[in-house]
Amino acid sequence: GNHGRMVEKGEGYYLNNWDYITYHHMAQLCSQQSRISWHIPEDWYTILPVRHVNLLITHGDSCGGSDGVSSVKRAALKWSAAMQHSWDVLICGHFHNPAWFAVNDKWVSICGTVCSGDDFSLRVVKEQTPPSQRILVIKEGNYTIQVTDVRL
C-alpha cells in the first residue's frame, strides 16, 4: 500500500515498503506456530482462493482516483476483463470508508480504517465513518459470504 512506501510510486514500489518488511518479520516471529501460515504477495495484488471463492486482494491505491466507490468500480470492471486470473471478490482498503457492492458478477469490499475523521478521509474522500475493520465469512457449500463490519 501507499502508507509504508519508502520510494516513489513506480515499478516495484510494493516491495520497497515497510508493510512488506513488517509482514516478513511477523512471519519469522511466528514461524514456530504450526497453526499460522503466511501468504505475502510479491506483487501489487494477490489472488487468494478461499474454499470456492477467489479473492482479489490489493491495497486500493492501484484503483486510481479519490472517490472510493466510483474509482473501485472502474478498476473492478477493467480488471475483470484484463486479468489472466479469475476472481470473484475484490477486497481493498485505501479509501478509509467501508462499502460492499456488486459489479456485474463480482463483489467488491472496500474495508474501513482504524482512523476516524482523519485528514485523508475528510480532505480527499470527503467522508467520515467510524473506525472499523471488515470480516468476511465464506461458508461451505453454495456461494454464501457473510459481511460484518466491526466498529473499533
Side-chain angles (χ1 to χ4, degrees):
N2 60 311
H3 298 280
R5 191 167 58 219
M6 295 183 285
V7 296
E8 289 299 315
K9 189 172 180 177
E11 204 61 39
Y13 74 94
Y14 36 82
L15 300 177
N16 292 310
N17 190 299
W18 283 111
D19 299 341
Y20 181 77
I21 292 168
T22 301
Y23 301 149
H24 278 279
H25 182 67
M26 291 183 340
Q28 184 179 19
L29 290 173
C30 297
S31 62
Q32 301 300 316
Q33 301 293 325
S34 61
R35 296 180 302 150
I36 298 175
S37 62
W38 292 83
H39 177 83
I40 303 170
E42 300 288 325
D43 212 335
W44 59 270
Y45 74 95
T46 189
I47 304 284
L48 184 65
V50 177
R51 296 191 173 155
H52 53 281
V53 178
N54 287 328
L55 305 175
L56 167 58
I57 304 172
T58 185
H59 175 78
D61 57 336
S62 53
C63 295
S66 62
D67 54 353
V69 171
S70 297
S71 298
V72 177
K73 276 186 181 179
R74 279 191 303 275
L77 283 168
K78 291 180 178 184
W79 290 338
S80 66
M83 284 191 161
Q84 295 176 0
H85 304 287
S86 172
W87 58 273
D88 304 300
V89 179
L90 166 60
I91 300 174
C92 68
H94 184 63
F95 297 98
H96 294 221
N97 294 285
W100 175 259
F101 54 91
V103 175
N104 293 335
D105 63 338
K106 313 286 188 194
W107 286 102
V108 175
S109 172
I110 304 175
C111 301
T113 179
V114 296
C115 304
S116 176
D118 61 287
D119 184 61
F120 178 81
S121 294
L122 294 172
R123 181 176 47 81
V124 178
V125 183
K126 297 171 182 50
E127 294 182 32
Q128 177 180 339
T129 56
S132 67
Q133 287 296 286
R134 175 155 293 154
I135 297 173
L136 297 180
V137 178
I138 300 171
K139 298 183 179 181
E140 288 283 354
N142 63 354
Y143 191 90
T144 304
I145 300 175
Q146 178 183 341
V147 179
T148 303
D149 284 329
V150 178
R151 296 274 175 104
L152 304 174

